Amino acid sequence: MSVVIIGGHERMETKYKEICKRYHCKSKVFTKMKADLNHKIGKPDLIILFTATVSHKMVRCAVVESERTKAALERSHSSSASALINILETYTV
């Protein structure tokens, strides 16, 4: 399963990737807006939005890409490790 995480804290980026690896997921993490974010997202199975730490422009980009690629979109206000674990447990049964 491939996962794209949008938002979150820069200092947690490696922790997010480690957690995804434990759940056998390939992951990409974008904590800041990139110029060509829509092209870098690719075609993941799941897009996770940490809404408390993400710009509106990044949210719009993620929503459009999830609709275009038919990827599941999960929103979480918290950008903690436990929030990510809860989401991954739901999707990787």
Side-chain angles (χ1 to χ4, degrees), residues 3-57:
V3 177
V4 172
I5 299 171
I6 297 178
H9 299 285
E10 284 182 60
R11 67 180 180 269
M12 292 285 290
E13 191 169 336
T14 56
K15 183 76 171 172
Y16 296 148
K17 289 180 180 181
E18 289 171 5
I19 292 169
C20 288
K21 192 177 280 189
R22 271 191 272 155
Y23 284 89
H24 307 290
C25 296
K26 294 179 184 178
S27 63
K28 291 182 185 177
V29 180
F30 300 101
T31 56
K32 292 183 176 177
M33 182 67 184
K34 306 265 189 209
D36 56 348
L37 180 64
N38 58 340
H39 296 290
K40 290 188 177 191
I41 289 176
K43 294 187 179 187
D45 299 310
L46 174 64
I47 297 175
I48 300 172
L49 281 173
F50 290 136
T51 57
T53 56
V54 69
S55 68
H56 292 282
K57 189 174 182 179

